[in-house]
Every structure is written in C-alpha cells, then in structure tokens.
Amino acid sequence: MRKLVAFALAGLVLTGCNTIEGVGKDVSSAGDTVARTADDAK
C-alpha cells in the first residue's frame, strides 16, 4: 500500500513539473510574439 501511495505522489510531482514547464514555455512564446509585434510597429 505504501508503495502505491509513493508511486502516485511521484507521478503527481512529475506531472506538476511538466505542467509548470509548459506554462513557462507558453508565457515565453507570448512574450516573444509581443516583442516582435512591437518591433514591427516601429
């Protein structure tokens, strides 16, 4: 039973890290798009 709980927690932690990494990439991509749009407007 303890092994099952440990594996479940490990899975949640790893999933959380991947989700946070994905959000970071999305925010970075949005920032790059805004920067390119601002440069084009000059």
Side-chain angles (χ1 to χ4, degrees):
M1 183 68 175
R2 287 185 182 184
K3 287 183 182 180
L4 179 62
V5 171
F7 283 126
L9 288 175
L12 288 174
V13 168
L14 293 174
T15 301
C17 291
N18 289 335
T19 302
I20 292 170
E21 181 180 354
V23 169
K25 288 179 182 178
D26 290 343
V27 169
S28 177
S29 176
D32 291 342
T33 301
V34 169
R36 273 187 262 125
T37 302
D39 286 341
D40 291 344
K42 285 184 180 180

